[in-house]
Amino acid sequence: MALKYNLSKVYALSDNDPEFVNQILTLFVTEVPEDLKQIKEGIKKKDHKYAYSYAHKIKPTLDLMGLNVAFEEILQVEAWTKAEGKKKDIIETFKSIKIQVKEAIKEIKKDFDL
């Protein structure tokens, strides 16, 4: 199975410290799903500023975790919030991000016994 994530940036940042890597992974597994719920809520309520704040918050994490497609898509979410776009224009992109994060989390939990 192909990896859904890439930890090369995490290992570089941590100087290959396994404890630090574990902390980063734990934060990713616990916080990003919650942040995604907040983005979804912002989209649902058409609260573009709210959705933007959470999209902006997870953007560096997606990059750090090597979720390149999800990173590009979160940039689209940010652009959508700034343009105050219609809900229907961003739903599929958001669903794609959610799926990628969910698959990465599932794999990380299995690979790192989290």
Side-chain angles (χ1 to χ4, degrees):
M1 178 197 305
L3 281 179
K4 306 289 184 200
Y5 61 92
N6 180 333
L7 298 181
S8 59
K9 289 181 182 179
V10 174
Y11 282 109
L13 179 70
S14 73
D15 277 340
N16 293 320
D17 176 353
E19 202 172 297
F20 183 77
V21 170
N22 244 3
Q23 288 177 329
I24 296 283
L25 295 175
T26 301
L27 282 171
F28 175 75
V29 165
T30 56
E31 289 192 12
V32 171
E34 289 303 312
D35 293 338
L36 287 173
K37 286 179 187 173
Q38 300 308 316
I39 295 170
K40 182 179 180 179
E41 194 63 26
I43 292 170
K44 194 170 124 184
K45 291 182 175 176
K46 297 182 192 164
D47 187 339
H48 295 90
K49 285 187 174 118
Y50 189 78
Y52 174 83
S53 68
Y54 283 94
H56 189 71
K57 179 183 174 193
I58 69 169
K59 182 172 62 173
T61 307
L62 297 177
D63 183 43
L64 183 65
M65 298 297 294
L67 297 169
N68 300 332
V69 174
F71 175 76
E72 292 300 320
E73 289 176 336
I74 207 69
L75 294 176
Q76 291 173 33
V77 172
E78 281 188 334
W80 173 85
T81 62
K82 287 179 183 173
E84 297 191 359
K86 295 185 186 326
K87 213 172 8 176
K88 66 179 174 73
D89 296 338
I90 204 64
I91 292 294
E92 290 306 313
T93 303
F94 178 73
K95 281 182 187 171
S96 173
I97 295 166
K98 249 176 77 170
I99 289 167
Q100 291 171 70
V101 167
K102 185 178 177 183
E103 289 175 352
I105 287 173
K106 182 178 172 186
E107 209 166 274
I108 288 167
K109 282 181 173 179
K110 183 175 154 246
D111 294 348
F112 291 88
D113 276 335
L114 295 178

